Amino acid sequence: MHSSAVFLIEFGAIILGLGLLGRLAARLSFSPIPLYLLAGLAFGEGGLLPLGASEEFVAIGAEIGVVLLLLMLGLEYTASDLVSNLRTQYPAGLVDATLNALPGAVMALLLGWGPIAAVVLAGITWISSSGVIAKVLGDLGRIGNRETPVILSILVLEDLSMAVYLPVVTALLAGTGLAAGSVTLAVALGVAGLVLLLAVRFGRHISRFVSSDDPEKLLLVVLGLTLLVAGVAQQLQVSAAVGAFLVGIALSGEVAEGAHNLLAPLRDLFAAVFFVFFGLHTDPASIPPVLLPALALAVVTTLTKIATGYWAARRAGISSKGRWRAGGTLVARGEFSIVIAGLAVTSGIDSDLGPLATAYVLILVVLGPLTARYTEPLATRLAALGGRRTAPDAGPGAGDAPLTEDAGPALRDQDTVGRP
């Protein structure tokens, strides 16, 4: 009875605190994610007032939060949109992997951690946080922007790549033979391919099965189906996020619209819990010893992610402002990086890898919403200043006019995409 009361008090305080932080962020026109993370850091392991009774429930809520974030993101696009984007954007996925995995591998080798740790840290620096980016896109009202499909294509390619990467890393860390590792990899690839095939080929039938005029029944069926697919996918070494995203794209028409309206409040609640949970499991005392390498890695991979998004958006014909927005949005790291680091820590590969990964992710998960918001305005302002410095003297007052893009790109930036 007493533990039940403590749980209600703790969890109620968490939810109330999140609401107040969200209101503060709204007043400041700022994403609430960094505030949620810092709150978790303050009340987690080694923080000001560690929580205990509600920790297990918060952990489950955090998993549901990631699943709902990716489901809602998937609801914005159809299966044909996904396949088309993957076909056209796979070169961006290769550039993404090269530019962002290489710094992590080099850092591990410079620190003397060996080749297996290099593979692990490469994955940590490579994968952007789908959960954080999904939240940021919603907070900034950019779901319908023309650069958003480019961002989503890169995220989906990364998540699908995890179906290959995670079994390989698990086999390396466990020291299993080639045969066992190959079987795990084959199962993961088969499950990911099957789910994608069902989403593309039978999306209409799935929508018809899920459809209901009763909001309660629609909510229960969509939520239950999503959690079931996500759980099965994760059990078979495939990302739960991939499963949830594919369920979202499999639903279309009125079903997708109705599900979006019903699930939006649940997504916001559990997504906030996810970010708090990340902070709760970060011991502040473990960060200072690895802060300098983590900062150096964060600076380098911030620049490489921005370059990746800019190149991919330029290749897709997006205007200059959209390219900078795409690059800045991809900076955040989060859930996948922590999963990869957790595998390494459990295997005992190196005692410093866990704290370094935690510090690195914490830096970028706080910095990510800032780069998403400010990269494009900053780049535009710097370009304008550079133009003023190099422009020839055109007479009094000529330099006072702000520089603007031509009408074509400006109009393209206002176009939106989404479900037909």
Side-chain angles (χ1 to χ4, degrees):
M1 190 72 174
H2 175 70
S3 61
S4 173
V6 173
F7 164 77
L8 291 174
I9 291 170
E10 286 188 357
F11 194 65
I14 291 173
I15 299 301
L16 176 60
L18 292 176
L20 295 176
L21 290 174
R23 292 175 64 176
L24 174 62
R27 283 180 176 272
L28 300 174
S29 299
F30 184 73
S31 172
I33 293 173
L35 299 181
Y36 294 159
L37 288 164
L38 293 175
L41 192 64
F43 295 98
E45 299 175 3
L48 300 174
L49 183 63
L51 303 177
S54 59
E55 183 176 349
E56 184 175 352
F57 185 84
V58 170
I60 296 173
E63 293 187 24
I64 295 174
V66 175
V67 167
L68 289 178
L69 282 169
L70 272 295
L71 169 67
M72 298 292 281
L73 206 56
L75 288 173
E76 298 291 336
Y77 299 93
T78 64
S80 59
D81 292 333
L82 174 66
V83 173
S84 175
N85 286 331
L86 291 179
R87 285 176 177 171
T88 57
Q89 292 299 328
Y90 75 89
L94 296 176
V95 171
D96 177 39
T98 302
L99 290 182
N100 296 288
L102 191 59
V106 171
M107 176 65 75
L109 294 175
L110 289 176
L111 293 173
W113 291 350
I116 296 179
V119 174
V120 172
L121 197 55
I124 291 171
T125 58
W126 169 25
I127 303 298
S128 296
S129 171
S130 300
V132 174
I133 291 170
K135 177 67 173 170
V136 168
L137 288 172
D139 289 342
L140 298 178
R142 295 182 182 173
I143 292 294
N145 282 22
R146 286 197 69 232
E147 74 272 5
T148 299
V150 176
I151 297 169
L152 294 181
S153 297
I154 292 174
L155 293 178
V156 172
L157 285 168
E158 288 180 350
D159 287 347
L160 292 175
S161 297
M162 287 295 96
V164 179
Y165 176 84
L166 288 177
V168 170
V169 168
T170 302
L172 288 174
L173 294 173
T176 58
L178 179 61
S182 300
V183 171
T184 303
L185 177 60
V187 170
L189 290 175
V191 172
L194 177 62
V195 174
L196 182 59
L197 176 65
L198 291 174
V200 173
R201 297 288 298 274
F202 303 104
R204 292 183 180 179
H205 301 288
I206 296 172
S207 295
R208 191 177 300 118
F209 167 75
V210 170
S211 179
S212 175
D213 294 330
D214 187 335
E216 178 184 350
K217 294 175 182 176
L218 179 62
L219 173 63
L220 292 174
V221 172
V222 172
L223 183 59
L225 178 64
T226 302
L227 294 176
L228 177 63
V229 172
V232 171
Q234 187 160 314
Q235 186 69 25
L236 295 173
Q237 303 298 320
V238 181
S239 164
V242 171
F245 183 86
L246 293 176
V247 170
I249 64 143
L251 304 179
S252 59
E254 294 182 1
V255 173
E257 184 178 352
H260 187 282
N261 295 334
L262 291 171
L263 289 168
L266 284 177
R267 173 203 59 189
D268 294 339
L269 169 62
F270 285 107
V273 171
F274 162 70
F275 298 119
V276 169
F277 174 76
F278 181 81
L280 287 174
H281 284 260
T282 302
D283 185 356
S286 67
I287 294 177
V290 294
L291 191 56
L292 286 179
L295 279 171
L297 204 54
V299 170
V300 171
T301 54
T302 292
L303 297 176
T304 55
K305 275 292 181 182
I306 291 175
T308 298
Y310 187 95
W311 184 87
R314 181 180 180 181
R315 182 175 176 274
I318 309 299
S319 67
S320 178
K321 291 183 178 181
R323 297 170 199 169
W324 288 115
R325 287 196 297 266
T329 303
L330 287 169
V331 167
R333 271 55 160 204
E335 59 275 8
F336 266 134
S337 298
I338 295 301
V339 169
I340 296 168
L343 292 174
V345 170
T346 302
S347 69
I349 185 171
D350 193 284
S351 59
D352 288 332
L353 195 149
L356 174 64
T358 300
Y360 170 78
V361 172
L362 186 61
I363 291 168
L364 290 186
V365 86
V366 172
L367 184 63
L370 300 178
T371 59
R373 184 179 181 89
Y374 296 112
T375 297
E376 180 263 317
L378 180 60
T380 301
R381 177 167 294 187
L382 291 175
L385 291 174
R388 290 193 185 100
R389 291 194 184 105
T390 58
D393 186 7
D400 295 337
L403 299 180
T404 59
E405 294 184 321
D406 59 87
L411 288 175
R412 287 198 298 270
D413 263 342
Q414 295 173 11
D415 292 342
T416 57
V417 296
R419 291 187 176 276

